[in-house]
Structure formats: structure tokens, C-alpha cells
Amino acid sequence: MSLAPQELENSASKYAAEAIKLDSQGSRGMAIQSYQRAIEALVKLVQIYPDYKLNKVYMERANAYQNRIKALQMSHGLDDDSPAPAESASAGGNGRSEPANGKSGSSHSGGGKSSGNVETLKADFDDLVMKDKPKVSWDEVIGLDDAKRAIRESIVYPMKRPDLFPLGWPRGILLYGPPGCGKTLLAAAAAAEIDGYFINVDAASMMSKWLGEAEKNISKLFKMARSLNENEGVPVLLFIDEIDSLLGQRNSEVGGEVRVKNQFLTEMDGINGKSKESQLYVIGATNKPWSLEAGFLRRFQKRIYVTLPDNASRTNLFSQYTKPLNTEGSLKIEELAKITEGYSASDVKDICQSVQLRVVNELFESGKAMEAGANPRPVGNNDFKEILKIRKPSVSVDMIRAYMRWSDQFKAL
Ligand code: ADP
């Protein structure tokens, strides 16, 4: 018997309310788990009832929670589970902070020549755009050496020594590959290194939110990015996730998709033709590179495949994500890496999280959780194996073949 939509909706609301509460209390890890449960309930709802009238709203909500998870993960590093500083904890709330150079994006006093304009533009995007300075270092991005090098060459080096690039350098970079392998993380690490604004937008939620107005809003978004760069002298990295949605079918307006796409291409041409002083970059990310057409691809001079982790990277991922767990040194990480071929980086992280939950649940079920000094037992390889029985890779072998085929044809490092 499947659940009625109402029941699934109630359970999503319950988890979301829990997440928001935990988020506002600074319990980052627990908040992330509750947001994830809320997302799972919403996704299940949409899958079971594909024709349900509120599905669009549910997917928007799920996207908002996903963005919040990313904001929580990005702004506090990967290992640090310390409470978040006072941040918005609304359901779709995006953490906001100042650019790295200390100039506040919202500190204008009315005297600047056009910063007022920037403020108005920013206000238009408050609920979709995360302007943040992520605390992600290159070391925290495991593996992906080619991708790291290509991003450094095209963004970091030209920014540091523009005089060494008389022929200019790429402003558009496309990251493609299976979900959960580090596209967002790479973009965040690049933004952290160039010490600038990181504008993180999700094209899918942009398109559904701006139904019929996407064209105008894309132009505003780029205008905001340009103004931030020109008026505040801070480099700006505009990260557009799910960029394939700009070509999608969601815009119900007749001819809407074409106009949105053309607007985007025009904006990209503007950026690519910019003088050396301009420090504005666009990183697009997609799990469906095959849905992008040639005109689109041409605007992204670098096209980088962000792959599933290989054996060595999975070993490092397990080592990173089991660090906070009590393992009593008994864990054989190499074995775990071997049996998780085909799993994404974020699958590995989720597996570690599930193992942790397993021993915590055990403690609660034993009725001893509230006793003084009670702690979960150490985790071992068997706990991971049990979780792996019920947790399959999120990417299929066929999908990987499709990425490789596309990559052979279109990658550009
Ligand atoms: P994508 O943008 O490719 O869908 P993300 O960068 O959002 O994937 O990854 C989701 C989460 O999975 C990250 O926040 C991080 O915790 C983990 N993760 C993904 N890739 C890596 C990686 N290469 N190294 C370390 N952690 C990773």
C-alpha cells in the first residue's frame, strides 16, 4: 500500500519544520539530515503521483532545501560541525555573508555612485541567489585533479597575473558529470581562492520561479554580477547549477524557452568579450550535458568532466568522512573503497552518515541513550556492508557510458 499524498506531504512538512528548527539552533549536521528527509518525502510524492497538481511547488521546495543543505555544507567546511553564525534559517533561506575582502555587499550608505542600483538588483534575487564566501579548500575536494588544474589555469592564474595572458582567457566553464561528484564543491573552492563573491543560483528553480519572466531575470542576474564586479572591484564567480534547465520545457510561455536561451547566450557573449580588467566568470554545471546544443557549448570554452571517484579517491573520501566517527582503528578503508566501485562521492558521504545513524539508533533503542556517559559503539566494516546492502549507487552504468561518450566528443580542457 502506498501512502496518500497528504501523508507524504505531512511527513515532508514535519521534517522540514524540524530541519528549520535545528538549523536555527546551529545543529548543522542534524539540520542537513532533516532537510534530506524532507526532500526524500517530496521526491517520493512526485514520483508516486506524477500528475498531482502541487508537484511544481513540491519540487521548488525540494530545491530550496537542497540549496540550504549546500549553503550549510559550503559555508562551514566539510569537517567542521560547529554551529552556524546567525544565518537565515527560513525554508528556502540561503546563507549570506560578506565578500572575502571585507567589503560588505549590503553596507552601502547611499553615497556610492551606483551601489544603490546593485542593492535593488540584489533584492530581486534574495531568495534564489546565495552570495557567499565559501570556506572550501582545494584539499577538501577529493580527486578530480584534471578538473582542479583546468579551473586553476582558467580562473585563478589569470586573476592573479592578467599580464601573463595577452590573448585573454576563458570566462565560461562547464562542469558536467553525474550528480554528487563535486561540481559545486569545485566551483566553491575556486571562489574561495579568488577571494570574491560566489553567486550560486539553481537554474531549475529560477525557471520555475520566474515562469514567463525568466528572460528578463537572466538579464538582471548578469547585470547584478557585472555591477558587483565593476562597482566593488571584487571578482565575481557566477555558478549556475542545472544549467540545462535554461533550455528546458518548463517555461510555459510560447517561444519562452527560445528567448531565455538567446538572452543567456547574449549575456555570455558580453562576458567573453570583456576587457582584462573584468573579473567575472560563469561556471555552469549539468548532469545532462547531451541536452545542451552547440551554440550553448561554444560559450563555455572549458568543458570539464567531473567523474565518479576512482578507487584511490574513494579511499580518501572514506578516510575524510569517517574521521569524525568512532572507529577504534578497526576500519579497513581500502576494503570499503573496493566494494563501492560505481558510487559517487556524495554516496560515500551518505553511507558514512548512515553508518553513524545506525549506531546512534542502536543506542537509543537500547534505552541507554540518556544514561550518563552513554556513547554509541565504535563502527566497523560490517556496519558499512549492512548499509551497502540497502543502498545502491545513485548513478547507473548506462549513465556513465553516456557521460563517457559525450565527453569523448565534447570535452575541452
Ligand atoms: P554536484 O554539484 O556534482 O552534484 P556536489 O559538489 O554538490 O555535487 O556534492 C555534494 C556533496 O558531496 C558535497 O557537498 C560533498 O559533501 C560531497 N562531495 C562530492 N564530491 C566530492 C569530492 N570530490 N570530494 C569530497 N566531497 C565531495
Side-chain angles (χ1 to χ4, degrees):
M1 273 297 287
S2 51
L3 294 166
Q6 195 59 48
E7 280 176 76
L8 278 166
E9 200 199 347
N10 287 348
S11 107
S13 303
K14 194 186 89 203
Y15 286 129
E18 220 171 59
I20 291 163
K21 191 165 157 227
L22 289 162
D23 198 347
S24 66
Q25 291 167 348
S27 304
R28 191 171 64 94
M30 305 271 283
I32 289 175
Q33 275 171 31
S34 297
Y35 281 128
Q36 270 164 347
R37 290 202 177 117
I39 293 171
E40 274 162 25
L42 290 170
V43 169
K44 199 188 262 177
L45 212 164
V46 171
Q47 279 169 348
I48 299 179
Y49 302 98
D51 298 316
Y52 196 54
K53 61 185 185 304
L54 291 176
N55 280 356
K56 198 166 80 60
V57 177
Y58 292 145
M59 287 331 287
E60 280 175 21
R61 263 199 234 165
N63 272 324
Y65 301 151
Q66 193 60 53
N67 285 341
R68 183 61 193 152
I69 290 175
K70 282 190 182 168
L72 286 170
Q73 287 168 335
M74 294 297 159
S75 52
H76 302 288
L78 293 164
D79 295 323
D80 168 16
D81 204 15
S82 57
E87 270 186 357
S88 143
S90 67
N94 288 316
R96 303 181 59 193
S97 64
E98 298 182 356
N101 64 2
K103 291 180 196 172
S104 166
S106 54
S107 66
H108 111 97
S109 58
K113 69 176 160 50
S114 51
S115 52
N117 191 19
V118 179
E119 290 306 304
T120 320
L121 286 166
K122 277 189 203 162
D124 284 340
F125 296 101
D126 260 0
D127 53 347
L128 284 179
V129 179
M130 177 177 86
K131 292 171 287 292
D132 216 343
K133 167 67 169 68
K135 287 186 197 149
V136 177
S137 72
W138 292 108
D139 289 344
E140 286 168 278
V141 187
I142 308 255
L144 305 175
D145 291 336
D146 285 351
K148 283 184 197 167
R149 192 173 47 248
I151 293 185
R152 280 217 191 96
E153 281 169 11
S154 17
I155 298 186
V156 180
Y157 300 159
M159 222 223 71
K160 293 192 171 166
R161 286 287 306 273
D163 57 302
L164 300 179
F165 296 81
L167 299 177
W169 60 89
R171 311 296 174 129
I173 296 178
L174 182 72
L175 302 178
Y176 60 89
C181 288
K183 296 185 284 301
T184 312
L185 215 51
L186 279 168
E193 180 156 0
I194 62 171
D195 231 11
Y197 274 113
F198 182 52
I199 305 180
N200 183 348
V201 294
D202 181 83
S205 40
M206 256 164 41
M207 291 299 276
S208 53
K209 173 143 180 134
W210 294 339
L211 211 59
E213 287 190 85
E215 178 194 3
K216 195 175 79 198
N217 281 310
I218 281 175
S219 145
K220 277 194 195 171
L221 177 66
F222 275 81
K223 195 166 172 195
M224 176 184 73
R226 276 195 304 271
S227 312
L228 278 173
N229 178 225
E230 285 161 17
N231 297 325
E232 301 193 21
V234 182
V236 174
L237 202 159
L238 175 54
F239 178 70
I240 309 180
D241 205 0
E242 296 194 71
I243 200 157
D244 50 279
S245 315
L246 296 181
L247 304 169
Q249 306 300 314
R250 301 179 191 211
N251 196 338
S252 62
E253 200 189 357
V254 179
E257 301 104 66
V258 178
R259 290 211 306 272
V260 169
K261 186 192 71 187
N262 287 342
Q263 184 62 42
F264 178 78
L265 296 183
T266 307
E267 298 294 350
M268 286 301 289
D269 286 343
I271 286 187
N272 283 322
K274 279 276 169 193
S275 70
K276 287 204 185 127
E277 286 75 51
S278 161
Q279 293 171 341
L280 174 54
Y281 301 92
V282 177
I283 298 190
T286 179
N287 304 333
K288 297 182 223 150
W290 36 82
S291 54
L292 302 177
E293 54 186 55
F296 222 77
L297 294 179
R298 202 154 27 85
R299 267 68 172 196
F300 292 93
Q301 299 95 324
K302 292 264 179 194
R303 297 184 287 273
I304 304 171
Y305 183 18
V306 179
T307 56
L308 283 181
D310 59 14
N311 193 59
S313 299
R314 290 196 303 280
T315 308
N316 290 337
L317 283 162
F318 273 112
S319 149
Q320 169 160 294
Y321 289 117
T322 53
K323 227 181 268 164
L325 308 186
N326 173 10
T327 58
E328 276 191 350
S330 60
L331 221 51
K332 294 190 198 74
I333 295 228
E334 284 76 16
E335 187 193 349
L336 297 179
K338 240 180 231 137
I339 56 178
T340 46
E341 187 173 358
Y343 284 77
S344 72
S346 99
D347 286 339
V348 169
K349 184 178 156 193
D350 290 348
I351 290 163
C352 297
Q353 200 179 57
S354 303
V355 165
Q356 157 85 57
L357 286 180
R358 181 178 153 87
V359 288
V360 170
N361 285 345
E362 255 178 43
L363 182 67
F364 272 96
E365 277 159 25
S366 73
K368 296 185 186 146
M370 307 312 284
E371 289 175 10
N375 276 317
R377 65 171 172 82
V379 303
N381 277 40
N382 271 344
D383 293 303
F384 287 85
K385 287 181 187 160
E386 286 301 313
I387 296 294
L388 285 170
K389 280 186 195 158
I390 47 173
R391 160 116 214 177
K392 297 296 150 202
S394 49
V395 190
S396 71
V397 176
D398 285 346
M399 285 291 275
I400 298 302
R401 282 203 198 104
Y403 286 120
M404 282 160 65
R405 268 200 305 275
W406 194 87
S407 208
D408 282 346
Q409 225 181 331
F410 296 108
K411 88 164 164 232
L413 282 177

